Amino acid sequence: ALALVATLASFDPADPSFDNASGGAVANWLGVPGAYASSFLLRIFGVGALALVLPISVWGWRLTLGRSLNQTGWRIAAFILGLLFIDAGLGIVPGGEYLPAGYGGFVGTLTVFFTAQVATSFELAFIYFLIPISFGLFGFVLILASADVPFRRVWRPVRAVPSALLSVLSFFGALAFWRRRSDDEIDEDD
């Protein structure tokens, strides 16, 4: 986990990587392998790659102490989904030009693109922010669950996210429907 933090913290866009041929000195603290690893992780996951540290640290600590990992399959699934959802949430954060694919990486970029399409289709600009923020919060909770935080403490807020999101979307969807319907009635009167 410390090596992961070191390689991500010392990322330099000028280092050699899969998309950059460079013959200069490598600035990454872990050398050429660290440069390739940091470029790859930041391209795919963006800053969300740092979310890899918590579960790996907790799992490693538990195994070092001789404890077993409970519900390993569920924790790995929560870990992968949590990482993807965090990246989706980080996609709307502005800036990050020095990173290979912005703060959310490839996953965040795709999420922002598709969220913008949905927001434009329904003429509801707030969806552009609501969906990625909800994804990011949901991903954070999943990462905590994967790191062996007691699941009962994590599950209560997780259950609330989908129903709250559906309630908000239903309200604004109905509002947009009635707004379009009243506009159509006005057009028919003319």
mmCIF file with all atom_site columns, all heavy atoms in Angstrom, residues 32 40 63 72 74 103 126 133 145 157 160 176:
data_model
loop_
_atom_site.group_PDB
_atom_site.id
_atom_site.type_symbol
_atom_site.label_atom_id
_atom_site.label_alt_id
_atom_site.label_comp_id
_atom_site.label_asym_id
_atom_site.label_entity_id
_atom_site.label_seq_id
_atom_site.pdbx_PDB_ins_code
_atom_site.Cartn_x
_atom_site.Cartn_y
_atom_site.Cartn_z
_atom_site.occupancy
_atom_site.B_iso_or_equiv
_atom_site.pdbx_formal_charge
_atom_site.auth_seq_id
_atom_site.auth_comp_id
_atom_site.auth_asym_id
_atom_site.auth_atom_id
_atom_site.pdbx_PDB_model_num
ATOM 1   N N   . VAL A 1 32  ? 11.222  3.194   -13.299 1.00 0.00 ? 32  VAL A N   1
ATOM 2   C CA  . VAL A 1 32  ? 10.448  2.949   -14.511 1.00 0.00 ? 32  VAL A CA  1
ATOM 3   C C   . VAL A 1 32  ? 9.178   2.137   -14.230 1.00 0.00 ? 32  VAL A C   1
ATOM 4   O O   . VAL A 1 32  ? 8.106   2.492   -14.722 1.00 0.00 ? 32  VAL A O   1
ATOM 5   C CB  . VAL A 1 32  ? 11.325  2.266   -15.596 1.00 0.00 ? 32  VAL A CB  1
ATOM 6   C CG1 . VAL A 1 32  ? 10.493  1.877   -16.807 1.00 0.00 ? 32  VAL A CG1 1
ATOM 7   C CG2 . VAL A 1 32  ? 12.462  3.189   -16.017 1.00 0.00 ? 32  VAL A CG2 1
ATOM 8   N N   . PHE A 1 40  ? -0.666  4.193   -15.732 1.00 0.00 ? 40  PHE A N   1
ATOM 9   C CA  . PHE A 1 40  ? -1.773  3.280   -16.011 1.00 0.00 ? 40  PHE A CA  1
ATOM 10  C C   . PHE A 1 40  ? -2.915  3.477   -15.008 1.00 0.00 ? 40  PHE A C   1
ATOM 11  O O   . PHE A 1 40  ? -4.079  3.626   -15.396 1.00 0.00 ? 40  PHE A O   1
ATOM 12  C CB  . PHE A 1 40  ? -1.286  1.829   -15.977 1.00 0.00 ? 40  PHE A CB  1
ATOM 13  C CG  . PHE A 1 40  ? -2.378  0.823   -16.164 1.00 0.00 ? 40  PHE A CG  1
ATOM 14  C CD1 . PHE A 1 40  ? -2.930  0.604   -17.418 1.00 0.00 ? 40  PHE A CD1 1
ATOM 15  C CD2 . PHE A 1 40  ? -2.877  0.112   -15.083 1.00 0.00 ? 40  PHE A CD2 1
ATOM 16  C CE1 . PHE A 1 40  ? -3.950  -0.315  -17.599 1.00 0.00 ? 40  PHE A CE1 1
ATOM 17  C CE2 . PHE A 1 40  ? -3.896  -0.805  -15.251 1.00 0.00 ? 40  PHE A CE2 1
ATOM 18  C CZ  . PHE A 1 40  ? -4.436  -1.019  -16.514 1.00 0.00 ? 40  PHE A CZ  1
ATOM 19  N N   . LEU A 1 63  ? -4.367  -9.841  7.887   1.00 0.00 ? 63  LEU A N   1
ATOM 20  C CA  . LEU A 1 63  ? -3.649  -11.076 7.592   1.00 0.00 ? 63  LEU A CA  1
ATOM 21  C C   . LEU A 1 63  ? -2.332  -11.151 8.354   1.00 0.00 ? 63  LEU A C   1
ATOM 22  O O   . LEU A 1 63  ? -1.924  -12.233 8.784   1.00 0.00 ? 63  LEU A O   1
ATOM 23  C CB  . LEU A 1 63  ? -3.411  -11.200 6.083   1.00 0.00 ? 63  LEU A CB  1
ATOM 24  C CG  . LEU A 1 63  ? -4.678  -11.394 5.239   1.00 0.00 ? 63  LEU A CG  1
ATOM 25  C CD1 . LEU A 1 63  ? -4.349  -11.344 3.757   1.00 0.00 ? 63  LEU A CD1 1
ATOM 26  C CD2 . LEU A 1 63  ? -5.381  -12.693 5.601   1.00 0.00 ? 63  LEU A CD2 1
ATOM 27  N N   . THR A 1 72  ? -15.085 -12.661 2.045   1.00 0.00 ? 72  THR A N   1
ATOM 28  C CA  . THR A 1 72  ? -14.062 -12.176 1.117   1.00 0.00 ? 72  THR A CA  1
ATOM 29  C C   . THR A 1 72  ? -14.634 -11.862 -0.264  1.00 0.00 ? 72  THR A C   1
ATOM 30  O O   . THR A 1 72  ? -14.299 -10.824 -0.846  1.00 0.00 ? 72  THR A O   1
ATOM 31  C CB  . THR A 1 72  ? -12.924 -13.212 0.987   1.00 0.00 ? 72  THR A CB  1
ATOM 32  O OG1 . THR A 1 72  ? -12.454 -13.529 2.299   1.00 0.00 ? 72  THR A OG1 1
ATOM 33  C CG2 . THR A 1 72  ? -11.792 -12.671 0.167   1.00 0.00 ? 72  THR A CG2 1
ATOM 34  N N   . TRP A 1 74  ? -17.674 -10.931 -1.144  1.00 0.00 ? 74  TRP A N   1
ATOM 35  C CA  . TRP A 1 74  ? -18.454 -9.694  -1.084  1.00 0.00 ? 74  TRP A CA  1
ATOM 36  C C   . TRP A 1 74  ? -17.548 -8.485  -0.940  1.00 0.00 ? 74  TRP A C   1
ATOM 37  O O   . TRP A 1 74  ? -17.811 -7.430  -1.508  1.00 0.00 ? 74  TRP A O   1
ATOM 38  C CB  . TRP A 1 74  ? -19.458 -9.732  0.069   1.00 0.00 ? 74  TRP A CB  1
ATOM 39  C CG  . TRP A 1 74  ? -20.592 -10.655 -0.183  1.00 0.00 ? 74  TRP A CG  1
ATOM 40  C CD1 . TRP A 1 74  ? -20.826 -11.867 0.402   1.00 0.00 ? 74  TRP A CD1 1
ATOM 41  C CD2 . TRP A 1 74  ? -21.653 -10.464 -1.117  1.00 0.00 ? 74  TRP A CD2 1
ATOM 42  N NE1 . TRP A 1 74  ? -21.958 -12.438 -0.110  1.00 0.00 ? 74  TRP A NE1 1
ATOM 43  C CE2 . TRP A 1 74  ? -22.490 -11.592 -1.045  1.00 0.00 ? 74  TRP A CE2 1
ATOM 44  C CE3 . TRP A 1 74  ? -21.977 -9.459  -2.007  1.00 0.00 ? 74  TRP A CE3 1
ATOM 45  C CZ2 . TRP A 1 74  ? -23.628 -11.730 -1.828  1.00 0.00 ? 74  TRP A CZ2 1
ATOM 46  C CZ3 . TRP A 1 74  ? -23.104 -9.600  -2.789  1.00 0.00 ? 74  TRP A CZ3 1
ATOM 47  C CH2 . TRP A 1 74  ? -23.920 -10.727 -2.689  1.00 0.00 ? 74  TRP A CH2 1
ATOM 48  N N   . TYR A 1 103 ? -9.293  13.923  -12.998 1.00 0.00 ? 103 TYR A N   1
ATOM 49  C CA  . TYR A 1 103 ? -9.390  13.378  -11.645 1.00 0.00 ? 103 TYR A CA  1
ATOM 50  C C   . TYR A 1 103 ? -10.123 12.042  -11.583 1.00 0.00 ? 103 TYR A C   1
ATOM 51  O O   . TYR A 1 103 ? -9.850  11.226  -10.729 1.00 0.00 ? 103 TYR A O   1
ATOM 52  C CB  . TYR A 1 103 ? -10.068 14.382  -10.712 1.00 0.00 ? 103 TYR A CB  1
ATOM 53  C CG  . TYR A 1 103 ? -9.206  15.568  -10.390 1.00 0.00 ? 103 TYR A CG  1
ATOM 54  C CD1 . TYR A 1 103 ? -9.579  16.848  -10.774 1.00 0.00 ? 103 TYR A CD1 1
ATOM 55  C CD2 . TYR A 1 103 ? -8.010  15.411  -9.714  1.00 0.00 ? 103 TYR A CD2 1
ATOM 56  C CE1 . TYR A 1 103 ? -8.782  17.937  -10.483 1.00 0.00 ? 103 TYR A CE1 1
ATOM 57  C CE2 . TYR A 1 103 ? -7.204  16.495  -9.424  1.00 0.00 ? 103 TYR A CE2 1
ATOM 58  C CZ  . TYR A 1 103 ? -7.605  17.760  -9.807  1.00 0.00 ? 103 TYR A CZ  1
ATOM 59  O OH  . TYR A 1 103 ? -6.808  18.823  -9.526  1.00 0.00 ? 103 TYR A OH  1
ATOM 60  N N   . PHE A 1 126 ? -29.356 19.710  -13.498 1.00 0.00 ? 126 PHE A N   1
ATOM 61  C CA  . PHE A 1 126 ? -28.872 19.265  -12.192 1.00 0.00 ? 126 PHE A CA  1
ATOM 62  C C   . PHE A 1 126 ? -28.433 17.803  -12.204 1.00 0.00 ? 126 PHE A C   1
ATOM 63  O O   . PHE A 1 126 ? -27.625 17.383  -11.379 1.00 0.00 ? 126 PHE A O   1
ATOM 64  C CB  . PHE A 1 126 ? -29.932 19.484  -11.108 1.00 0.00 ? 126 PHE A CB  1
ATOM 65  C CG  . PHE A 1 126 ? -31.052 18.501  -11.183 1.00 0.00 ? 126 PHE A CG  1
ATOM 66  C CD1 . PHE A 1 126 ? -31.015 17.336  -10.427 1.00 0.00 ? 126 PHE A CD1 1
ATOM 67  C CD2 . PHE A 1 126 ? -32.127 18.712  -12.019 1.00 0.00 ? 126 PHE A CD2 1
ATOM 68  C CE1 . PHE A 1 126 ? -32.039 16.416  -10.504 1.00 0.00 ? 126 PHE A CE1 1
ATOM 69  C CE2 . PHE A 1 126 ? -33.148 17.802  -12.095 1.00 0.00 ? 126 PHE A CE2 1
ATOM 70  C CZ  . PHE A 1 126 ? -33.098 16.643  -11.339 1.00 0.00 ? 126 PHE A CZ  1
ATOM 71  N N   . ILE A 1 133 ? -22.180 12.781  -8.174  1.00 0.00 ? 133 ILE A N   1
ATOM 72  C CA  . ILE A 1 133 ? -22.011 12.960  -6.727  1.00 0.00 ? 133 ILE A CA  1
ATOM 73  C C   . ILE A 1 133 ? -22.591 11.765  -5.983  1.00 0.00 ? 133 ILE A C   1
ATOM 74  O O   . ILE A 1 133 ? -21.983 11.245  -5.042  1.00 0.00 ? 133 ILE A O   1
ATOM 75  C CB  . ILE A 1 133 ? -22.634 14.292  -6.258  1.00 0.00 ? 133 ILE A CB  1
ATOM 76  C CG1 . ILE A 1 133 ? -21.800 15.465  -6.781  1.00 0.00 ? 133 ILE A CG1 1
ATOM 77  C CG2 . ILE A 1 133 ? -22.757 14.339  -4.743  1.00 0.00 ? 133 ILE A CG2 1
ATOM 78  C CD1 . ILE A 1 133 ? -22.438 16.814  -6.584  1.00 0.00 ? 133 ILE A CD1 1
ATOM 79  N N   . ALA A 1 145 ? -16.952 -0.483  3.231   1.00 0.00 ? 145 ALA A N   1
ATOM 80  C CA  . ALA A 1 145 ? -17.447 -1.839  3.479   1.00 0.00 ? 145 ALA A CA  1
ATOM 81  C C   . ALA A 1 145 ? -16.397 -2.870  3.091   1.00 0.00 ? 145 ALA A C   1
ATOM 82  O O   . ALA A 1 145 ? -16.196 -3.862  3.790   1.00 0.00 ? 145 ALA A O   1
ATOM 83  C CB  . ALA A 1 145 ? -18.740 -2.080  2.704   1.00 0.00 ? 145 ALA A CB  1
ATOM 84  N N   . PRO A 1 157 ? -26.724 3.860   5.310   1.00 0.00 ? 157 PRO A N   1
ATOM 85  C CA  . PRO A 1 157 ? -26.690 4.936   4.310   1.00 0.00 ? 157 PRO A CA  1
ATOM 86  C C   . PRO A 1 157 ? -26.728 4.430   2.869   1.00 0.00 ? 157 PRO A C   1
ATOM 87  O O   . PRO A 1 157 ? -27.241 5.102   1.989   1.00 0.00 ? 157 PRO A O   1
ATOM 88  C CB  . PRO A 1 157 ? -25.382 5.672   4.585   1.00 0.00 ? 157 PRO A CB  1
ATOM 89  C CG  . PRO A 1 157 ? -24.675 4.932   5.631   1.00 0.00 ? 157 PRO A CG  1
ATOM 90  C CD  . PRO A 1 157 ? -25.564 3.869   6.160   1.00 0.00 ? 157 PRO A CD  1
ATOM 91  N N   . ALA A 1 160 ? -30.226 4.100   1.630   1.00 0.00 ? 160 ALA A N   1
ATOM 92  C CA  . ALA A 1 160 ? -30.923 5.360   1.413   1.00 0.00 ? 160 ALA A CA  1
ATOM 93  C C   . ALA A 1 160 ? -30.572 6.016   0.072   1.00 0.00 ? 160 ALA A C   1
ATOM 94  O O   . ALA A 1 160 ? -31.379 6.761   -0.473  1.00 0.00 ? 160 ALA A O   1
ATOM 95  C CB  . ALA A 1 160 ? -30.602 6.324   2.555   1.00 0.00 ? 160 ALA A CB  1
ATOM 96  N N   . ALA A 1 176 ? -40.630 18.238  -15.339 1.00 0.00 ? 176 ALA A N   1
ATOM 97  C CA  . ALA A 1 176 ? -40.306 18.478  -16.746 1.00 0.00 ? 176 ALA A CA  1
ATOM 98  C C   . ALA A 1 176 ? -41.450 18.036  -17.653 1.00 0.00 ? 176 ALA A C   1
ATOM 99  O O   . ALA A 1 176 ? -41.765 18.712  -18.642 1.00 0.00 ? 176 ALA A O   1
ATOM 100 C CB  . ALA A 1 176 ? -39.014 17.752  -17.117 1.00 0.00 ? 176 ALA A CB  1
#
